[in-house]
Amino acid sequence: MNQQLTFAPADDGLWEQYDRLATRAYGHPIGDITHLREHADLQVAVRGGRVVAGGLGLLVDQFFGGAPVPSACLGDGCVAPEERGDHLATDMATERLRPLIARGAVISAIVTSSTGYARRLGWEAPTGVLAWTVATDDLKRSFTSGDFQVEHGPADEAEALQRDLARQWNGPVRRPTWWTRWKQAKSNLTTYRFTRPGHPTTGLLSLTTERHERHGMNLTVHDFWAADRPTAAAILAFLGRHNTRTRTTHFRRGALPPYPTLLHGLRHHRTTAEAWHPWMLRILDVPEAIRLRGWPGDLTTAVPVEIENETGDWDRWMLRIRTGAAEIVPTHVEGQVTFTRRQLAVWYAGGYRSTTSARMAGVHAVSEKALATLLRSTTQLEPWLPDHF
């Protein structure tokens, strides 16, 4: 490893090298390296003519406060086993972000099991991520579909519904036109739409099935979008109709929205939850991330804050929010609330649901009123990222 290490965007030859490296590093082929080739940015590290690290990056919008914010979504990163231990992943993250920042990214999201190095670089998890498993018989006994009609297959109307519903949470991706095709090809999704007679589509469900090793099948939900409670109940009732073929219904990590339909609807609470590594957020450009985000239309305030910068020093800012817009500008006024880089990301995503949770997470505030006002500005919507990359 005495040869010089260089970083570069991948040409065709380096794409192929990275595909082989990822298969070796992960222990299995990574289909996204093929599926996303036309849409993703690939940066690699090269030593002696060999690709030794790299990763994909997608420039897409994520909704925060109802507004789309340009985000650098990083995925499928790896380092050759023989190169591990020298912080190459950290350097690689910087190089992967560079071209996406140049194209307008002001925040970044990742989903990684290596949360330690991500936290050192300023990413933090706004919320927990769970995969849920429910007895299919319980769904059949607990929910009814009412007068909903179920139609098979995707449709433009259903994709428009998904976009509208995504705005009601902090974190979902504003899916590009190719996103659904990618997911269909990757996971072989089956899609259903839920509609009342004479009304627009109000529900969207996508799932995968595979043969069970003994009898029936395994069923996994990937997309669960419902415009209201009756629609959510109809979707769960539809899943319950699979009870003769699948003993349990599995909701893929993050697929089930964090609302209490199951909690309030099941007659028998035999659900199980499995914690997964969370999605993590990082603020790349504080002023632009603040400007582009959506804000409550009924809030007018000015709060001085102190925010840790990338060198570990502290900058003083004045955050002003008025009539659904916000700006943050440098100031000499002492901050009433102090955020580390990671705490800033959680606050931005609405992850602190109360002043108590913020203080327990280490947020320092000299004014309880200022802290409460800041939290109100981002907790109007809940954090949820059902999309994976």
Side-chain angles (χ1 to χ4, degrees):
M1 297 203 300
N2 293 327
Q3 293 174 300
Q4 185 178 3
L5 185 72
T6 59
F7 298 94
D11 58 18
D12 288 345
L14 295 179
W15 268 92
E16 300 301 329
Q17 277 201 53
Y18 185 70
D19 196 357
R20 293 192 296 271
L21 170 64
T23 299
R24 177 164 65 91
Y26 280 97
H28 57 81
I30 304 299
D32 284 346
I33 295 175
T34 299
H35 292 309
L36 292 175
R37 189 158 180 171
E38 295 182 7
H39 312 291
D41 179 87
L42 173 60
Q43 299 292 317
V44 295
V46 180
R47 192 191 302 276
R50 294 186 308 108
V51 172
V52 296
L56 301 183
L58 297 171
L59 180 61
V60 295
D61 292 335
Q62 285 183 267
F63 288 112
F64 288 93
V69 182
S71 177
C73 295
L74 304 186
D76 297 325
C78 73
V79 175
E82 64 273 17
E83 293 273 349
R84 293 172 185 166
D86 290 329
H87 306 290
L88 181 52
T90 298
D91 296 336
M92 196 71 249
T94 301
E95 296 301 322
R96 293 166 67 186
L97 286 173
R98 195 185 308 279
L100 301 176
I101 292 173
R103 291 167 55 194
V106 298
I107 61 174
S108 176
I110 59 173
V111 180
T112 177
S113 58
S114 302
T115 54
Y117 97 87
R119 287 192 169 100
R120 288 193 295 272
L121 292 177
W123 277 280
E124 188 53 281
T127 188
V129 173
L130 299 173
W132 293 91
T133 301
V134 186
T136 310
D137 276 339
D138 288 355
L139 295 178
K140 183 176 179 61
R141 294 168 183 163
S142 301
F143 296 96
T144 58
S145 58
D147 61 346
F148 280 87
Q149 296 177 344
V150 183
E151 300 177 357
H152 169 249
D156 291 343
E157 183 183 25
E159 291 191 13
L161 170 72
Q162 186 276 329
R163 287 193 297 272
D164 289 342
L165 296 180
R167 291 179 180 272
Q168 300 177 16
W169 305 89
N170 289 330
V173 170
R174 182 166 70 171
R175 298 175 178 178
T177 55
W178 49 263
W179 190 278
T180 300
R181 295 193 303 272
W182 163 42
K183 291 298 183 180
Q184 291 281 351
K186 177 180 179 179
S187 301
N188 192 28
L189 298 178
T190 302
T191 301
Y192 297 95
R193 310 185 308 279
F194 293 77
T195 310
R196 283 192 177 100
H199 291 80
T201 297
T202 57
L204 176 65
L205 171 73
S206 72
L207 54 85
T208 59
T209 58
E210 60 180 11
R211 184 176 178 180
H212 190 275
E213 60 181 3
R214 297 184 64 182
H215 173 71
M217 64 185 183
N218 298 317
L219 186 154
T220 301
V221 173
H222 285 240
D223 268 314
F224 190 108
W225 298 90
D228 50 40
R229 188 177 187 277
T231 304
I235 295 175
L236 293 171
F238 173 77
L239 291 170
R241 297 178 202 168
H242 293 75
N243 66 320
T244 60
R245 297 293 296 159
T246 180
R247 292 181 60 188
T248 59
T249 298
H250 181 69
F251 296 87
R252 192 178 189 268
R253 59 188 187 272
L256 196 63
Y259 47 59
T261 303
L262 280 179
L263 178 65
H264 294 171
L266 284 176
R267 298 181 187 180
H268 304 290
H269 290 280
R270 295 184 287 179
T271 60
T272 58
E274 182 180 2
W276 287 81
H277 41 266
W279 63 281
M280 306 180 77
L281 186 70
R282 174 178 168 184
I283 309 302
L284 303 174
D285 184 330
V286 174
E288 279 299 284
I290 294 295
R291 184 182 69 83
L292 293 171
R293 192 191 192 282
W295 301 91
D298 61 347
L299 179 62
T300 299
T301 189
V303 180
V305 296
E306 294 188 22
I307 301 173
E308 178 190 25
N309 61 33
E310 293 192 2
T311 64
D313 295 325
W314 298 86
D315 298 324
R316 291 181 174 180
W317 301 87
M318 181 64 70
L319 173 65
R320 297 189 181 94
I321 304 171
R322 184 176 182 180
T323 61
E327 66 171 0
I328 190 167
V329 296
T331 184
H332 296 293
V333 179
E334 182 179 358
Q336 295 183 8
V337 179
T338 301
F339 288 126
T340 66
R341 296 166 62 201
R342 290 159 45 195
Q343 291 166 350
L344 179 71
V346 177
W347 165 76
Y348 188 90
Y352 298 131
R353 307 307 294 176
S354 67
T355 57
T356 301
S357 67
R359 289 187 180 277
M360 287 296 291
V363 175
H364 175 72
V366 298
S367 166
E368 189 74 10
K369 180 180 179 181
L371 178 57
T373 299
L374 282 179
L375 297 192
R376 181 193 166 196
S377 70
T378 61
T379 54
Q380 188 175 31
L381 304 178
E382 292 186 66
W384 177 44
L385 180 57
D387 301 295
H388 296 270
F389 40 84

